[in-house]
Amino acid sequence: MKLARSQWILLVAVAISLLVSYFSHAINRYFLTILISIGVNIILAVSLNLINGYTGQFSLGHAGFMAVGAYGSAAVTIYLGPKFFAAFGGSNTFSIGILFFIALAAGGLVAAIAGILVGAPSLRLKGDYLAIVTLGFGEIIRVIFRNIPSLGGALGLTGIPSYTTIFWTFGVAAVTVYVVQSIVNSTYGRGFLAVHDDEVAAEAMGINTTRYKIIAFVVGAFFAGIAGGLYAHDKAFIDPTGFNFMRSIEIVVMVILGGMGNNFGVICAAILLTLLPAILREYFRSIADSQMLIYSILLILLMLTRPQGLFKFKWPRKAPTAPTPHAG
C-alpha cells in the first residue's frame, strides 16, 4: 500500500520523537520541560486553530477542555493505576505505556463529551456571544474542580506519575497536525471552510453549519484534553489556577500570531511563545513578570501591522506566459 506524503511526514515525525526520547536522559531537565511545553502548546494551538481558524468561530474556553483532560487522565493513573498494575503483574515499560495510553484517551474522550455539552446548545450563537459562552464554560470548569475534594480541591492534585516523554508529546503533536490537516483538506472538510467564509451562504447551499461547528468543537476539545493529560503527567501536580482565563488567552494568541487557518504558522507561533517567556525569565527577569502586558502589546501591534498573522504569507504566483505565435 502506497503511503501519501502527509502519512510519510507523520511516520518520520513519530520516529524522530522516539529517537530523541530514547536519548532524553542526556538532556537537562529544564530544557526537557521546555521541549515538552512546546509540544503541548503545539497540540493546543493546532486543535484551537480548527475551531477559530478554519471554522471561523471564536472560542475562549480551550483551557477548560485542557483542564477536563488533565484531571480525567490523572484520575485514571492515580486511582486505577494500582489495580491495573496488579492485573498485569507489576509496573514495567509495557504496562506503563498501556496505562498512559488509556489515561490520555480517557482524558480526550471526557473533554470531547464536554465539547458536545458546550457546543450543542451554544454554537447557534456567533461572534462575541459565542466567546462569552465559552469563557463562562472555562470558568465554570475551574470552579467545579476547585470544589471536588477527591481531585485535590483548591490545593491541587498531587502524586501524578511522571509518564510524559518527548515521544508521547511530539508523537501526539504529529498526530494532531496530521488529523486536523487531513480533515480540512478532505472533501468533507471543505464544509468547515465554507462555514468560515460565509455561514449564511453555506446554509443556503444545504450545509448543516451547526453540525460542522460541533464537530470542530469536539475534535478540538479531544486533542486539548490529551494535551491536558500530557501536561498533568509532566508537572506531576495540577491545580485549577493553571487552567484560568489567561491560559486560554495564551492559546488564542498563538493562533492569531501564527495566522488563523494556517497550521504551519500556528506551530511556529506556539514554539515562539513558549520560548519567549523562558528567554525573558533567563535574561530579563524584571520584564518576565509583565508577560501578559507583552502579549497585549504584541497583539495590538500585530493587528495594526499584520492582521493576517505574523507567519501567514501569500506566495507570489508565476503569471502564465502567453503562447508564442507560430511564424506564418
Side-chain angles (χ1 to χ4, degrees), residues 285-320:
R285 295 185 182 275
S286 59
I287 305 178
D289 296 332
S290 306
Q291 178 178 334
M292 294 312 301
L293 175 62
I294 295 173
Y295 280 172
S296 303
I297 296 174
L298 185 65
L299 268 180
I300 294 172
L301 294 176
L302 182 64
M303 291 298 98
L304 292 175
T305 57
R306 287 190 62 84
Q308 74 273 26
L310 189 61
F311 298 101
K312 193 169 185 177
F313 303 98
K314 289 185 177 180
W315 302 103
R317 295 183 178 180
K318 186 178 179 181

